[in-house]
């Protein structure tokens, strides 16, 4: 099966959703199951409710999964396998305290070299280890670094190779007996028979570590990898979690349709014959091997364009937004001139508010009296000619205050179209001005 493995430590990033989408598509293409694995091993950073939020977003986006599992439920397996590595002399206990390790890190920084574990505790004798254990000295478990280079073929990047120095003797079990990310991840990929891991390229340095863990545990089934290039912001820097539109939750709140966000994220780093499509349609033509090796730039204007195209597909916009069907024609006008659902709602809700513009206040009052005291004509031209003749208002002094009476804005759609859409409830709206 394939898997999407989010951490419940914050809002879902667009990069994470992109990973989920690609894993889902490839699972469908290959006829394999799709697993959601909540990586909740970092207890201090977990935020209550974020796991449900992640699942809700996936459901909204039409990403169906076969199973949801929580990594913390497998702690006993992680611990037993760490013990197995210790017994087979493939891992060792490390008693180095944080002060000592921080000193080594600072020293490496001063000497302008990458920090690597010194190997100090690897050479401890069995007696020395037992003595320190009796003294109840705190320890972690480290895996022994590989003796040869770790090589694999990345489905996007091609041939990859990492030296033992790059892999290092890293921690697999913390002092509280919980597994580290790399150990839990590699063990769980074995447990759930993962065939392909699609994830961001920020995980590229983790891959040789996870391969190394599985090698030492004697797992001989190949797991393939595909590392997606990072998403850049409009300035060409890595899209940060601090940037509002990097959050899927924020985009949904701003009125972007889930299907539009999915459409856009599939397009990122890809080139297809058409730009507007559904997730199901993408399954037919998506090709993981053709994803660009270069970073993809997040373009909010492009997302707006795609969102607008998907909004046009909504058949009954009033019902979709939760408004009375009588307003459907007006909402269709607002949809045509808006990029997001939020814009449509803001324009619609504004028509029920008092107009605060002072420039055409007197003209509005004259028009308001004229409209409320007479029957409304069937045709807009008859209506326009009558109010112009009876009020003496023309040009800018007629059309701007009239549009303000209708939609509480100076500029917008053709008044002819607004009149046709609003005629049935026009007087009720104008009374609010």
């Amino acid at each position: 099966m394939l898997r999407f493995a989010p951490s419940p430590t914050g809002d879902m990033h667009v990069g994470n959703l992109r990973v989920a989408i690609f894993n889902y598509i490839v699972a469908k293409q290959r006829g394999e199951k799709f697993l959601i694995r909540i990586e909740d091993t970092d207890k201090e950073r977990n935020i209550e409710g974020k796991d449900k939020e992640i699942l809700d977003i996936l459901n909204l986006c039409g990403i169906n999964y076969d199973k949801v599992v929580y990594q913390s439920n497998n702690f006993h397996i992680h611990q037993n396998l760490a013990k197995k590595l210790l017994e087979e002399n493939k891992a060792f206990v490390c008693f180095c305290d944080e002060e000592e390790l921080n000193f080594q890190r600072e020293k490496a920084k001063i000497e302008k070299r990458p920090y690597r574990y010194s190997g100090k505790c690897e050479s401890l004798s069995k007696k020395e280890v037992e003595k320190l254990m009796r003294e109840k000295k705190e320890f972690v478990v480290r895996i022994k670094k590989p003796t040869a280079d770790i090589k694999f073929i990345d489905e996007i990047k091609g041939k990859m190779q990492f030296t033992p120095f790059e892999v290092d003797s890293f921690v697999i079990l913390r002092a509280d007996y919980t597994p580290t990310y790399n150990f839990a991840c590699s063990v769980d990929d074995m447990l759930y028979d993962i065939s392909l891991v699609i994830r961001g390229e920020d995980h590229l340095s983790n891959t040789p570590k996870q391969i190394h863990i599985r090698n030492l545990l004697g797992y001989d089934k190949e797991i393939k990898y595909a590392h997606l290039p990072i998403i850049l912001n409009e300035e060409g820097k890595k899209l940060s979690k601090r940037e509002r539109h990097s959050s899927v939750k924020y985009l949904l709140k701003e009125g972007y349709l889930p299907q539009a966000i999915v459409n856009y994220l599939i397009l990122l780093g890809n080139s297809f014959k058409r730009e507007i499509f559904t997730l199901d349609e993408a399954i037919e033509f998506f090709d993981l091997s053709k994803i660009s090796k270069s970073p993809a730039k997040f373009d909010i204007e492009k997302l707006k364009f795609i969102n607008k195209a998907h909004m046009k597909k909504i058949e009954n916009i009033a019902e979709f937004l939760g408004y009375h069907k009588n307003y459907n024609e007006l909402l269709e006008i607002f949809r045509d001139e808006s990029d997001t659902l939020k814009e449509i709602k803001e324009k619609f809700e504004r028509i029920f508010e008092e107009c605060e513009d002072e420039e055409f206040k007197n003209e509005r009052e004259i028009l308001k009296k004229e409209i409320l005291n007479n029957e409304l004509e069937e045709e807009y031209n008859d209506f326009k000619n009558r109010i112009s003749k009876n009020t003496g208002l023309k040009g800018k002094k007629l059309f701007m205050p009239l549009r303000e009476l209708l939609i509480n804005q100076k500029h917008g759609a053709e008044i002819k179209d607004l009149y046709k859409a609003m005629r049935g409830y026009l007087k009720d709206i104008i009374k609010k001005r």
Side-chain angles (χ1 to χ4, degrees):
M1 62 175 71
L2 278 85
R3 50 80 163 176
F4 172 53
S7 299
T9 54
D11 284 2
M12 185 188 276
H13 188 274
V14 289
N16 290 338
L17 180 57
R18 183 175 176 231
V19 166
I21 294 164
F22 288 179
N23 275 287
Y24 171 76
I25 289 175
V26 175
K28 287 291 179 187
Q29 289 176 334
R30 293 164 65 147
E32 296 185 18
K33 289 185 177 179
F34 181 51
L35 172 80
I36 306 299
R37 187 174 75 216
I38 307 293
E39 299 197 332
D40 59 342
T41 58
D42 195 341
K43 295 173 185 176
E44 289 181 8
R45 293 181 61 228
N46 290 340
I47 300 171
E48 192 175 342
K50 283 295 172 186
D51 55 337
K52 184 181 181 301
E53 196 175 279
I54 289 165
L55 297 176
D56 287 345
I57 288 172
L58 294 178
N59 290 330
L60 267 177
C61 292
I63 299 170
N64 303 314
Y65 38 87
D66 296 287
K67 193 176 182 182
V68 179
V69 296
Y70 286 77
Q71 201 162 54
S72 56
N73 291 338
N74 293 334
F75 276 175
H76 63 293
I77 300 172
H78 305 140
Q79 289 160 353
N80 285 337
L81 289 175
K83 186 182 175 187
K84 176 184 182 328
L85 291 175
L86 280 171
E87 288 168 351
E88 293 174 357
N89 201 30
K90 293 172 181 175
F92 60 94
V93 288
C94 173
F95 298 94
C96 298
D97 59 32
E98 205 55 41
E99 189 179 337
E100 187 176 349
L101 294 172
N102 284 336
F103 173 77
Q104 294 294 336
R105 288 189 191 102
E106 287 301 314
K107 189 181 176 191
K109 198 184 289 183
I110 292 164
E111 294 172 2
K112 295 182 179 177
R113 59 178 172 82
Y115 164 75
R116 293 294 181 267
Y117 177 66
S118 65
K120 177 184 172 184
C121 292
E122 189 177 349
S123 58
L124 289 174
S125 67
K126 192 178 178 182
K127 280 187 177 180
E128 287 173 309
V129 170
E130 286 172 353
K131 180 177 179 291
L132 290 165
M133 290 275 198
R134 282 196 300 272
E135 293 170 2
K136 295 189 177 174
K137 178 107 167 140
E138 197 174 75
F139 67 88
V140 297
V141 176
R142 289 181 182 272
I143 200 164
K144 289 190 175 180
K145 67 182 173 186
T147 55
D149 289 0
I150 303 283
K151 302 175 186 178
F152 64 94
I153 306 290
D154 188 283
E155 300 290 299
I156 296 171
K157 295 180 172 296
K159 291 181 181 178
M160 305 302 298
Q161 186 168 342
F162 293 83
T163 65
F165 178 78
E166 290 171 290
V167 177
D168 199 20
S169 295
F170 55 94
V171 176
I172 59 171
L173 215 61
R174 302 183 186 98
D176 63 357
Y177 307 117
T178 59
T180 56
Y181 164 76
N182 277 309
F183 193 62
C185 183
S186 56
V187 168
D188 286 355
D189 284 346
M190 289 163 44
L191 289 175
Y192 297 106
D193 193 16
I194 302 303
S195 57
L196 168 66
V197 174
I198 305 170
R199 59 187 179 187
E201 70 176 8
D202 50 328
H203 282 287
L204 188 58
S205 62
N206 290 323
T207 300
K209 294 178 180 181
Q210 291 169 18
I211 291 172
H212 178 49
I213 289 165
R214 290 196 301 274
N215 287 344
L216 291 188
L217 287 169
Y219 188 77
D220 57 8
K221 189 170 181 178
E222 184 187 15
I223 297 177
K224 293 186 175 180
Y225 287 90
H227 292 91
L228 303 171
I230 60 169
I231 299 175
L232 304 175
N233 63 15
E234 286 162 353
E235 284 80 49
K237 295 176 182 175
K238 185 180 177 182
L239 186 63
S240 165
K241 288 182 180 179
R242 289 186 292 275
E243 295 174 73
R244 290 187 301 177
H245 60 266
S246 73
S247 162
V248 180
K249 185 180 175 182
Y250 172 79
L251 292 176
L252 291 168
K253 191 178 173 184
E254 285 299 293
Y256 292 94
L257 289 163
Q259 57 267 41
I261 298 170
V262 169
N263 184 160
Y264 178 64
L265 292 176
I266 294 171
L267 271 179
L268 268 185
N270 279 300
S271 180
F272 306 119
K273 287 180 181 176
R274 55 186 170 136
E275 287 190 316
I276 309 302
F277 48 79
T278 65
L279 179 56
D280 286 342
E281 287 167 344
I283 293 168
E284 300 301 315
F285 55 76
F286 180 82
D287 188 341
L288 184 67
S289 67
K290 290 183 179 175
I291 292 174
S292 171
K293 293 179 173 66
S294 305
K297 189 175 283 190
F298 191 94
D299 182 355
I300 197 73
E301 294 305 315
K302 185 73 172 180
L303 176 57
K304 284 178 182 177
F305 167 77
I306 290 168
N307 195 62
K308 196 175 179 77
H310 280 277
M311 286 199 309
K312 284 180 181 176
K313 295 181 181 183
I314 300 169
E315 286 185 12
N316 191 323
I317 189 69
E319 185 183 347
F320 184 85
L321 293 173
Y323 298 128
H324 194 279
K325 62 182 180 181
N326 289 354
Y327 298 119
N328 200 63
E329 201 175 338
L330 175 62
L331 288 162
E332 283 178 353
I333 293 171
F334 288 155
R335 173 174 59 183
D336 289 342
E337 58 185 24
S338 302
D339 293 319
T340 66
L341 297 176
K342 186 179 179 182
E343 280 182 57
I344 300 172
K345 286 180 179 178
E346 285 173 349
K347 286 174 196 248
F348 179 70
E349 284 162 14
R350 193 170 177 177
I351 72 170
F352 300 101
E353 295 170 5
E354 189 179 338
C355 186
E356 295 178 353
D357 179 49
E358 293 292 322
E359 186 180 356
F360 297 107
K361 188 175 181 181
N362 291 335
E363 288 84 352
R364 280 199 311 275
E365 286 303 315
I366 293 167
L367 286 170
K368 181 176 177 180
K369 191 179 289 185
E370 173 64 26
I371 293 169
L372 292 178
N373 291 336
N374 293 280
E375 289 295 314
L376 294 175
E377 289 79 357
E378 193 79 31
E379 296 297 325
Y380 168 69
N381 282 337
D382 295 336
F383 166 75
K384 177 190 72 174
N385 293 336
R386 188 252 304 171
I387 60 170
S388 178
K389 180 184 174 184
N390 291 354
T391 62
L393 297 172
K394 293 179 181 177
K396 183 180 176 182
K397 291 203 170 185
L398 170 65
F399 297 116
M400 282 205 172
L402 180 55
R403 187 180 277 110
E404 285 182 334
L405 281 177
L406 267 65
I407 59 170
N408 202 1
Q409 293 184 83
K410 281 183 183 176
H411 306 283
E414 291 285 339
I415 296 176
K416 180 182 178 181
D417 297 331
L418 292 170
Y419 180 78
K420 182 175 177 289
M422 300 177 72
R423 185 175 167 274
Y425 49 86
L426 185 61
K427 288 188 178 183
D428 292 332
I429 296 296
I430 287 175
K431 283 174 187 174
K432 298 179 187 296
R433 302 283 181 258

